[in-house]
Amino acid sequence: MTVQVIASAPGKVTLFGEHAIVYGEPAIVTAISRRLYVKTALRSDKNLKISAMDLKIPGIVLTFISDTGELTLETDYGRVVSAVSYIKKAVELTANYVGEMKGANIEVRSTMPVGAGLGTSAAVAVATVASYAYALGYELSQREIAKLGHRTELEVQGAASPMDTSIATYGGTLYIKPRTGEPIIEHLKLKNEYPIVIGYVERKSTTKELVAKVKRLKRKREEIISTIIRLIGKVTEEAKKALLKGNVVEVGELMNINHGLLDALGVSTKELNDLVYAARQAGALGSKLTGAGGGGCMIALAPGRIAEVSTAISIIGGAPMDTQISAKGVTVEIQK
Ligand code: MEV
């Protein structure tokens, strides 16, 4: 019977520090209870058959063409290039890393919306690395998975901080500060409950476009934008202290400040701002956009007000999602 390996990785929300982390400032990110699953079953040929209905990929065949481990397409997959590229690159890098290239059937399922800023591309990369390596007989360490996952994002996107792939691998709540070589990663032991509602609106720009937008603005107004970026870093440092003390009110206040600074960087939208303010009016202690912005997701810290904040978000056209934070990182399970 064919052995199937299922790896799953969590989505994430950035609590503090998105965009600023691209310029070396710290960020705080937490894994959420919504997950993405990658199932791998090895084949006897060199084909890689990908099916990911939740990512709108009906069935695609790629083939290892040479000993360099490069995968080439047998079919034209047109508009789905982006989602497939992460799976393709993660398999290529893993095959090269362990020095074995075998065909496989790969099936992806997701319990979170794709491309919404919840870190689905990192979850795809990390779960594919873990699942494919395990199917080949290699149990990679979390550090190896995180590194290969980050290289996947870097090669597909051109630029990416290690934030999303680190949280998809390690889970929990992480304080991450980039530095040359490997980032500083600290697991934060939260001292309180932080009930969060995620609100989602349609995304108008990609992460890549938004990162480029901030870069352009920074080039044009170096002093002002660098100051805002440094300030976001300071907010994140204060938030770390508040989270460790369990001071929910202070965490909420700092989320509001962080949102204002992100808006100043030009990455929020009217729709996101509407959700952010509706959540506060409905009793959230703090709310901010999360991820790259340009639409996508916002989060609201709403102890005792989850129902009210969810209703407020849906009344003005957002889709509320309830979730737990500090969820588990990548896990692997075998089905015989
Ligand atoms: C995207 O989830 C977060 C950004 O900071 C980009 C990155 O960290 O690579 C906008």
Side-chain angles (χ1 to χ4, degrees):
M1 198 183 269
T2 334
V3 175
Q4 300 189 323
V5 179
I6 304 176
S8 78
K12 66 99 218 297
V13 289
T14 309
L15 298 176
F16 294 94
E18 51 272 268
H19 285 288
I21 192 173
V22 175
Y23 299 94
E25 296 296 334
I28 297 173
V29 60
T30 190
I32 57 171
S33 46
R34 303 216 172 209
R35 301 183 77 81
L36 184 137
Y37 299 81
V38 175
K39 182 155 87 182
T40 303
L42 291 183
R43 296 167 61 98
S44 51
D45 58 20
K46 288 218 160 184
N47 288 341
L48 185 73
K49 197 167 169 229
I50 300 170
S51 108
M53 296 309 279
D54 297 334
L55 313 187
K56 300 184 180 62
I57 306 169
I60 283 169
V61 179
L62 304 153
T63 311
F64 281 112
I65 45 159
S66 67
D67 292 340
T68 61
E70 196 189 330
L71 280 160
T72 187
L73 263 189
E74 223 175 56
T75 48
D76 173 17
Y77 57 95
R79 292 188 62 236
V80 290
V81 175
S82 158
V84 172
S85 341
Y86 290 94
I87 302 169
K88 175 181 180 291
K89 188 50 75 186
V91 168
E92 274 178 7
L93 290 172
T94 308
N96 277 305
Y97 184 72
V98 302
E100 244 188 275
M101 269 141 246
K102 283 193 181 156
N105 292 336
I106 292 196
E107 198 184 310
V108 183
R109 301 232 72 101
S110 175
T111 60
M112 53 190 161
V114 172
L118 297 178
T120 35
S121 54
V124 168
V126 161
T128 304
V129 168
S131 177
Y132 183 69
Y134 207 98
L136 288 174
Y138 298 87
E139 203 173 331
L140 301 182
S141 67
Q142 285 189 322
R143 188 159 166 250
E144 289 172 305
I145 296 172
K147 269 188 158 179
L148 286 166
H150 186 218
R151 268 184 62 202
T152 302
E153 278 215 320
L154 276 178
E155 292 198 22
V156 175
Q157 292 170 198
S161 75
M163 178 167 72
D164 290 11
T165 39
S166 299
I167 194 71
T169 306
Y170 299 108
T173 301
L174 302 178
Y175 165 95
I176 304 180
K177 190 166 164 55
R179 63 170 171 191
T180 323
E182 283 182 52
I184 298 169
I185 297 181
E186 287 173 32
H187 281 267
L188 300 184
K189 260 198 150 173
L190 305 184
K191 273 273 171 54
N192 211 332
E193 298 280 304
Y194 293 91
I196 272 177
V197 181
I198 300 174
Y200 169 64
V201 284
E202 202 192 324
R203 191 116 188 247
K204 291 179 182 151
S205 322
T206 63
T207 299
K208 197 172 174 177
E209 284 162 1
L210 289 150
V211 169
K213 184 176 177 187
V214 174
K215 196 176 211 173
R216 275 198 305 276
L217 195 62
K218 186 166 174 294
R219 228 182 276 130
K220 187 169 169 199
R221 303 193 184 280
E222 182 57 45
E223 205 188 327
I224 293 173
I225 301 302
S226 296
T227 308
I228 294 174
I229 286 169
R230 273 201 307 278
L231 270 178
I232 294 178
K234 275 194 192 313
V235 170
T236 304
E237 296 291 359
E238 290 297 306
K240 180 183 170 191
K241 290 184 212 153
L243 283 163
L244 291 176
K245 273 193 301 200
N247 194 332
V248 191
V249 172
E250 243 178 66
V251 172
E253 196 175 280
L254 290 161
M255 281 168 74
N256 293 344
I257 298 173
N258 196 165
H259 180 77
L261 294 170
L262 285 164
D263 201 11
L265 290 182
V267 295
S268 195
T269 61
K270 177 179 181 305
E271 290 78 8
L272 272 178
N273 286 350
D274 286 348
L275 297 195
V276 162
Y277 283 96
R280 288 182 204 168
Q281 260 168 3
L285 289 180
S287 56
K288 64 181 275 292
L289 74 84
T290 184
C297 290
M298 50 72 71
I299 48 172
L301 179 60
R305 308 288 291 184
I306 294 286
E308 292 83 347
V309 169
S310 300
T311 307
I313 286 173
S314 48
I315 284 174
I316 53 164
M321 277 179 260
D322 58 350
T323 186
Q324 265 78 55
I325 65 164
S326 261
K328 245 197 278 170
V330 68
T331 59
V332 178
E333 170 201 331
I334 303 188
Q335 274 186 352
K336 289 195 179 152

